Amino acid sequence: MKALEHVFVTLKSHKDRSCVSLVCKDWYEAERKSRTHVFIGNCYSVSPEILIKRFPNIKSVTLKGKPRFSDFNLVPPNWGADIHPWLVAFASAYPFLQELRLKRMVVTDESLELLVQSFPNFKALSLVSCEGFSTDGLELLATHCKNLTELDVQENSFEDLEGSWLSYFPETFTSLEVLNFANMQTEVSFAALEQLVARCKSLKVLKVNKSVTLEQLQSLLVQAPQLVELGTGSFSGDLTAQQHTELADAFDNCKNLQTLSGLWDAASIYIPLLYPACANLTFLNLTDAALQSEDLAKLLPNCPHLRRLWVVDTVEDEGLEAVGSTCPLLEELRVFPSDPFDEDGIPGGGSGVTEAGLVAVSRGCPKLHCVLYFCNQMTNAAMATVVQNCPDFTHFRLCIMTPCQPDYLTNEPMDEGFEAVVKTCTKLQRLSVSGLLTDLTFEYIGKYAKNLETLSIAFAGSSDRGMQCVLEGCPKLRKLEIRDCPFGDTALLSGLEKYESMRSLWMSACNVTMTACKLLAKERPRLNVEVINEEENDDTRAEKVYVYRSVAGPRRDAPSFVITL
Amino acid sequence: MSPLLLGILEEGQSNVSIAGSSTSLDSICQNGAGFRERNYMGLSDSSSVDSSSISSLSEEKKSSMNLKATELRLGLPGSQSPDRNAELSLISSANLDEKPLFPLLPSKDVISSSSQKPITSGNKRGFSDAMNGFSDVKGTVFSEGNWMFSATGGNSETAHSAAQGKYPTNTAMSRSSLNLGVTSHSMKDQSGVESSKLKEVLPSKGSQEKPHGANEKGQNQMTLATNTSTPPAAKAQVVGWPPIRSFRKNTLSTTSKNNEEVDGKPGPGVLFVKVSMDGAPYLRKVDLKTYSAYPDLSSALEKMFSCFTIGQCGSHGAPGREVLSESKLRDLLHGSEYVLTYEDKDGDWMLVGDVPWEMFINSCKRLRIMKGSDAIGLAPRAMEKSRNRN
């Protein structure tokens, strides 16, 4: 037995471990004892008790909570996904817990307090898209976690109490390797930050927030030339000639940068400062920089190894043409809208990027396999061209910002475009559709997208048949999220056989009734069928439905607006 | 119509797109004293409340009826719009069959004239009016389907309440976020269509309502309300769409605002302002710094938006000549199809050309090419303002 455990220790992948545990009882036992990291994609699919019973030696936990559409305000507040009961269980079962990575969960200061008190070896905390805590909680972490190596609180909505949480790291504290507070709104104590950076010689990842100025950045860079990932603060303002030179030198010294982000409000005149630091850059995140095409065109040639690029659509098609002609190694592109809610009420405003931009990138970047593209117009022909140029897409997320918009040249639905995508890109794992779509799109998806795991649908489809095709046709489907589509009870129930093999299904603003949900719940007791009805008036409609498999049974912490059937 | 326009302006709302070419409207406007400012968004002004309640009753039915029909419900043949909202479904089933929004199945001619166009995109639409000279309205002619009719009334109710969430009857409106969002903004952009609609609606309503004046006001108010409330309504309405993370929204909007603010400082640099045109499928940005006088701006914009003219800029752009006579301006405006207006730092919409160029670029936040007839009410305010400045 022990020998097996020694062997299994080398197994890192969850899929491998899953397979191994199914072989026989001995292997199951060996696997469960040797596992140190567990990933739970839906915190309600299993309970803390079940987890700690099976895996006694866990040191690292990754948990995801709310359905993804909660990022877009489709899930009411106080829905759940509180980390606290997990921490309570971990406190007794895993006193040697070192890492906690949470996504879309509620984390209160109280929980953070419990964390620092219960786990003396705690090393890494990563919170993405979480909420419920404040800088007070961060102070606790800084004060008590002597061995902290990672503190990543990006993209959360937490209360920024303007304290000086950074100064709570004691002077003896030197272990930090990752520090990311890029989305914090308020000023941090720069003195504390500077000293922290100075004494943490192993710091590899530093992503500061907007409050850090260019001048301050210079002194940080000077202290930490070893950085591999840098997120700057504000990238505009006034610099004296001397400061400019010093900053240029500092960037010149950053030979190890692979990731660059931040660059808030980047001023054209300062972008050239970055050039020397981009020699080894593989990921450039310009989503806070909102560059114009000229600036991007001049920056890119300095990034010969670029593989991932995130930009704002201020670069326009011209900027994307520059991408196409300058970044042959590009694998991932994300284009975010600068003005998603234009004042004129036109989703996506009136400028930005068009289909031409995406086509230009596809022509020049044959390795492109991951795209997230927000645009105002698209054509079927362009989509076909794109996937012809880049047949290896694994992640294809297209958001034509005005709902139900057809091909703007032919006025046809966008069915053909997505047909081209799923037909050509056999490796497609993740797909988000948009534009005017009939059931045909979903027929195509069901027919061709055999590797599809995640599908997001909004304002699309003509009838139940659409959803049915997907449920019946995509064998690897794990996550299906649907909003504002004409899929009803028949569609929901057509997945009866399917849902237990999936992580979850989300349907909101569709045509599903409570009756169907109740039927589903009755037929499949191992599924949790939850309906969120915020308005009291309509008892028959199921406004928001969340269906997921679970071995933990129905939630015990469901709020009043969540009805478990 | 002017009082209505003033009402909008009072709100500081952008995108006034009231169709107002109907002569019956003008006749109401001509009653000089009627340049009262009305607050159509709130309920504070009792008179507007009264007129709204007068019309609201008859509107109620219409509103629910129309709302259903206008609701963005992907009403492709074969699928019925679901009862999104109990209160909304005051509709009889007959109405459900009424003109689905996306008649995709059908014949080509339906598609070409389809109502899907207007709903699909707020800016890519074939307004009958905007069609003039707008070759890139993808060849679709907006067909005046039933749903547009009196949708003005309906949507205004809903858009209204959507914007404020105050109307008790429409508390449930918030749920139908999508409906409102798209319909509202589609309503807003329907300026061209509305004008024709309004003509039809008014006479019919005239018979229902008691005082013709009140009716007109009520009707217009509804229309106005639609237009007033639509921009913010559309902005907020479709919950979670486009799917951008909220932290990113803040960043991006700040970024673009910052860029504009930075750009907006007089002196070195650029001064980009957005230019929108009623009925245009796209916005543009212009750098005001690249022009030295109104005629330059005018011709540049003219090139950009081909069928547009600034009526009075040439003659009144010269510094010093700030005072405009009301009637003269109106004459000019009547003559031209489009008028260039701008939103100043106070949020008021002014006619371009009233003030000296320097003052203009210092206070201009954005530009809008409005229908000449829509802009009539702007003149007095511009003059008042410039009088105050003097």
Side-chain angles (χ1 to χ4, degrees):
Chain A
M1 180 74 86
K2 272 289 171 188
L4 267 180
E5 284 177 47
H6 282 303
V7 170
F8 288 168
V9 156
T10 62
L11 286 175
K12 302 292 176 205
S13 138
H14 299 111
K15 290 196 176 133
D16 288 345
R17 285 188 160 269
S18 212
C19 292
V20 141
S21 67
L22 294 172
V23 168
C24 65
K25 255 187 150 178
D26 279 353
W27 281 44
Y28 176 88
E29 287 296 308
E31 193 280 314
R32 78 178 187 89
K33 286 183 188 157
S34 63
R35 193 189 287 225
T36 56
H37 172 229
V38 69
F39 167 84
I40 299 169
N42 173 6
C43 64
Y44 287 117
S45 64
V46 70
S47 70
E49 295 78 36
I50 296 175
L51 179 71
I52 60 185
K53 195 166 169 205
R54 178 171 172 186
F55 299 114
N57 297 316
I58 295 296
K59 296 214 180 75
S60 163
V61 177
T62 303
L63 268 168
K64 291 189 180 179
K66 298 184 224 173
R68 193 179 78 98
F69 277 174
S70 73
D71 283 348
F72 316 125
N73 302 323
L74 288 181
V75 176
N78 303 316
W79 178 86
D82 191 339
I83 189 61
H84 205 80
W86 293 89
L87 288 176
V88 168
F90 294 164
S92 51
Y94 304 140
F96 301 113
L97 190 71
Q98 292 176 1
E99 291 182 9
L100 194 60
R101 294 173 198 287
L102 306 178
K103 191 166 187 182
R104 289 188 209 104
M105 294 204 67
V106 171
V107 182
T108 58
D109 287 343
E110 200 197 326
S111 298
L112 290 175
E113 192 175 356
L114 179 60
L115 188 151
V116 305
Q117 285 166 356
S118 316
F119 311 116
N121 277 8
F122 197 74
K123 291 209 169 99
L125 181 67
S126 166
L127 301 176
V128 178
S129 209
C130 295
E131 55 167 352
F133 60 100
S134 77
T135 41
D136 286 352
L138 299 182
E139 282 171 18
L140 289 169
L141 284 163
T143 313
H144 298 286
C145 295
K146 311 255 180 286
N147 303 311
L148 198 68
T149 58
E150 177 176 344
L151 181 57
D152 183 343
V153 290
Q154 58 167 314
E155 302 182 16
N156 300 295
S157 54
F158 60 91
E159 230 189 310
D160 208 336
L161 297 172
E162 288 215 68
S164 176
W165 60 277
L166 273 175
S167 52
Y168 282 71
F169 282 107
E171 289 196 7
T172 49
F173 174 81
T174 57
S175 50
L176 206 59
E177 296 170 24
V178 174
L179 179 61
N180 182 347
F181 58 94
N183 302 104
M184 275 186 70
Q185 295 301 309
T186 63
E187 230 178 282
V188 290
S189 152
F190 183 69
L193 175 62
E194 200 179 4
Q195 287 163 23
L196 183 63
V197 170
R199 60 181 188 272
C200 294
K201 296 297 176 199
S202 312
L203 195 66
K204 293 279 183 302
V205 175
L206 178 63
K207 296 184 182 176
V208 301
N209 74 351
K210 206 170 166 181
S211 72
V212 173
T213 66
L214 272 179
E215 207 190 322
Q216 291 172 334
L217 177 66
Q218 189 266 345
S219 63
L220 292 178
L221 289 180
V222 158
Q223 306 280 5
Q226 76 281 5
L227 285 179
V228 171
E229 294 185 25
L230 171 67
T232 74
S234 167
F235 217 69
S236 61
D238 294 320
L239 287 179
T240 65
Q242 165 118 9
Q243 288 168 334
H244 193 277
T245 314
E246 284 172 358
L247 188 54
D249 289 342
F251 271 114
D252 217 357
N253 237 354
C254 290
K255 299 293 181 204
N256 303 307
L257 279 188
Q258 291 175 13
T259 298
L260 184 60
S261 60
L263 305 169
W264 265 279
D265 306 330
S268 287
I269 45 169
Y270 296 138
I271 297 179
L273 286 167
L274 299 169
Y275 297 171
C278 294
N280 294 318
L281 216 60
T282 56
F283 177 25
L284 181 57
N285 179 351
L286 298 171
T287 50
D288 295 309
L291 296 190
Q292 305 289 316
S293 56
E294 302 81 30
D295 292 325
L296 183 65
K298 286 189 251 169
L299 173 58
L300 288 176
N302 296 285
C303 314
H305 297 171
L306 204 61
R307 293 208 294 266
R308 298 170 65 198
L309 177 64
W310 295 12
V311 292
V312 182
D313 67 4
T314 46
V315 301
E316 297 186 345
D317 288 340
E318 222 181 295
L320 294 180
E321 277 162 38
V323 174
S325 48
T326 328
C327 306
L329 300 176
L330 198 70
E331 296 176 30
E332 175 179 334
L333 174 70
R334 296 194 192 189
V335 181
F336 293 96
S338 54
D339 214 350
F341 309 100
D342 182 73
E343 282 154 26
D344 290 316
I346 306 165
S351 51
V353 294
T354 71
E355 77 281 8
L358 188 57
V359 170
V361 175
S362 72
R363 273 202 204 108
C365 310
K367 295 191 172 187
L368 191 68
H369 66 85
C370 185
V371 78
L372 170 60
Y373 200 75
F374 284 86
C375 60
N376 288 311
Q377 62 188 52
M378 184 53 64
T379 66
N380 289 312
M383 285 177 74
T385 307
V386 166
V387 293
Q388 202 172 18
N389 294 334
C390 305
D392 296 325
F393 272 109
T394 54
H395 296 68
F396 192 93
R397 295 156 71 190
L398 177 67
C399 182
I400 304 169
M401 285 187 279
T402 307
C404 306
Q405 190 168 302
D407 177 321
Y408 80 98
L409 287 179
T410 65
N411 262 338
E412 299 284 308
M414 297 301 298
D415 296 334
E416 272 173 43
F418 285 103
E419 181 193 8
V421 173
V422 291
K423 222 170 165 180
T424 316
C425 307
T426 52
K427 301 181 203 159
L428 197 67
Q429 290 168 23
R430 183 169 181 185
L431 179 65
S432 295
V433 299
S434 60
L436 181 65
L437 301 173
T438 70
D439 285 345
L440 273 179
T441 297
F442 304 104
E443 276 180 40
Y444 297 138
I445 293 176
K447 193 170 172 195
Y448 297 113
K450 295 304 177 189
N451 283 315
L452 194 65
E453 295 178 19
T454 305
L455 179 61
S456 299
I457 311 173
F459 309 112
S462 344
S463 74
D464 284 336
R465 181 169 158 64
M467 186 171 160
Q468 239 171 298
C469 288
V470 170
L471 289 169
E472 285 163 13
C474 299
K476 295 197 183 172
L477 195 65
R478 291 187 301 117
K479 290 176 275 183
L480 182 56
E481 41 186 31
I482 303 173
R483 64 165 292 183
D484 294 277
C485 296
F487 303 141
D489 294 345
T490 315
L492 177 72
L493 294 171
S494 69
L496 214 58
E497 308 294 319
K498 181 90 174 172
Y499 299 132
E500 276 179 23
S501 68
M502 289 169 55
R503 182 187 295 177
S504 64
L505 165 73
W506 169 277
M507 281 178 84
S508 61
C510 297
N511 294 349
V512 176
T513 66
M514 291 294 276
T515 319
C517 295
K518 286 178 187 160
L519 184 59
L520 176 61
K522 179 159 167 266
E523 293 293 313
R524 288 287 177 270
R526 289 190 299 192
L527 293 178
N528 280 357
V529 179
E530 294 175 6
V531 174
I532 298 173
N533 263 347
E534 293 165 271
E535 308 288 327
E536 301 296 333
N537 46 22
D538 197 334
D539 283 337
T540 55
R541 280 196 70 227
E543 181 65 32
K544 296 176 183 172
V545 182
Y546 186 45
V547 178
Y548 58 92
R549 64 182 177 188
S550 176
V551 295
R555 285 174 59 178
R556 278 164 281 166
D557 64 349
S560 55
F561 54 81
V562 172
I563 306 153
T564 308
L565 299 172
Chain B
M1 194 201 51
S2 307
L4 310 172
L5 202 60
L6 288 176
I8 305 177
L9 296 178
E10 198 54 34
E11 292 303 320
Q13 298 295 339
S14 52
N15 308 321
V16 176
S17 8
I18 296 232
S21 42
S22 105
T23 48
S24 50
L25 284 177
D26 285 347
S27 63
I28 293 299
C29 307
Q30 297 306 333
N31 103 39
F35 280 21
R36 271 197 344 258
E37 286 160 0
R38 287 168 183 278
N39 181 357
Y40 290 105
M41 287 302 292
L43 300 175
S44 49
D45 182 353
S46 57
S47 58
S48 51
V49 171
D50 287 344
S51 38
S52 75
S53 55
I54 289 175
S55 32
S56 69
L57 282 173
S58 62
E59 286 300 355
E60 189 74 20
K61 230 187 190 167
K62 276 221 151 72
S63 75
S64 34
M65 236 168 49
N66 308 320
L67 190 67
K68 197 60 192 182
T70 55
E71 166 177 279
L72 175 65
R73 209 48 204 121
L74 310 175
L76 304 170
S79 77
Q80 281 227 338
S81 308
D83 270 341
R84 288 199 134 215
N85 193 305
E87 298 182 61
L88 280 185
S89 45
L90 299 173
I91 330 151
S92 63
S93 51
N95 285 340
L96 278 176
D97 300 332
E98 188 182 51
K99 203 91 180 196
L101 293 177
F102 301 95
L104 281 186
L105 263 204
S107 46
K108 282 291 175 187
D109 58 343
V110 180
I111 288 184
S112 61
S113 68
S114 78
S115 38
Q116 79 189 25
K117 233 6 190 138
I119 282 298
T120 54
S121 136
N123 46 4
K124 292 177 172 44
R125 187 149 337 133
F127 307 118
S128 35
D129 286 354
M131 283 297 281
N132 306 336
F134 251 109
S135 52
D136 53 2
V137 176
K138 323 299 175 222
T140 57
V141 177
F142 176 69
S143 85
E144 301 164 5
N146 296 339
W147 66 274
M148 269 308 301
F149 202 85
S150 19
T152 46
N155 265 358
S156 61
E157 269 298 305
T158 52
H160 220 263
S161 60
Q164 349 176 28
K166 280 183 205 151
Y167 284 87
T169 55
N170 288 313
T171 41
M173 285 317 301
S174 53
R175 278 176 63 193
S176 315
S177 51
L178 166 62
N179 300 343
L180 296 175
V182 184
T183 27
S184 319
H185 90 250
S186 70
M187 283 313 302
K188 170 197 78 75
D189 287 356
Q190 292 296 344
S191 51
V193 183
E194 277 177 6
S195 61
S196 43
K197 286 306 147 194
L198 220 37
K199 280 181 214 171
E200 296 167 69
V201 172
L202 279 172
S204 67
K205 297 222 78 197
S207 53
Q208 295 173 27
E209 303 295 345
K210 302 151 220 165
H212 184 56
N215 166 52
E216 294 274 331
K217 267 192 278 221
Q219 185 54 38
N220 294 335
Q221 175 190 335
M222 284 311 185
T223 318
L224 177 68
T226 307
N227 293 308
T228 315
S229 55
T230 318
K235 189 170 184 170
Q237 273 314 292
V238 185
V239 178
W241 190 266
I244 314 272
R245 297 278 313 283
S246 41
F247 82 90
R248 205 180 285 286
K249 264 192 261 179
N250 292 337
T251 311
L252 289 171
S253 57
T254 318
T255 305
S256 53
K257 268 188 214 137
N258 281 348
N259 283 341
E260 284 193 23
E261 276 164 23
V262 165
D263 293 337
K265 287 195 190 99
V270 292
L271 188 57
F272 278 104
V273 294
K274 286 191 202 170
V275 189
S276 64
M277 180 168 176
D278 287 357
Y282 55 86
L283 298 180
R284 301 307 300 264
K285 272 194 173 181
V286 290
D287 177 3
L288 290 181
K289 286 257 168 223
T290 61
Y291 310 110
S292 48
Y294 287 115
D296 294 346
L297 177 62
S298 169
S299 50
L301 288 175
E302 203 167 331
K303 285 194 199 108
M304 235 185 247
F305 297 91
S306 21
C307 60
F308 139 88
T309 51
I310 302 181
Q312 83 293 19
C313 259
S315 39
H316 299 289
R321 290 202 50 194
E322 297 186 40
V323 181
L324 233 42
S325 79
E326 238 177 278
S327 51
K328 190 169 185 186
L329 185 56
R330 196 177 292 144
D331 288 342
L332 286 164
L333 289 176
H334 271 309
S336 66
E337 196 182 321
Y338 287 98
V339 164
L340 181 60
T341 62
Y342 70 101
E343 185 182 6
D344 70 3
K345 286 194 168 15
D346 302 331
D348 297 323
W349 284 89
M350 320 277 281
L351 283 175
V352 168
D354 286 353
V355 299
W357 176 255
E358 282 303 319
M359 196 185 292
F360 163 68
I361 63 175
N362 282 348
S363 59
C364 172
K365 274 189 358 200
R366 54 185 303 177
L367 292 165
R368 181 167 162 216
I369 305 168
M370 231 186 243
K371 294 269 183 47
S373 43
D374 294 349
I376 288 178
L378 290 176
R381 288 189 66 85
M383 290 167 54
E384 268 172 41
K385 259 201 163 174
S386 49
R387 266 188 231 119
N388 291 341
R389 287 209 189 97
N390 293 339

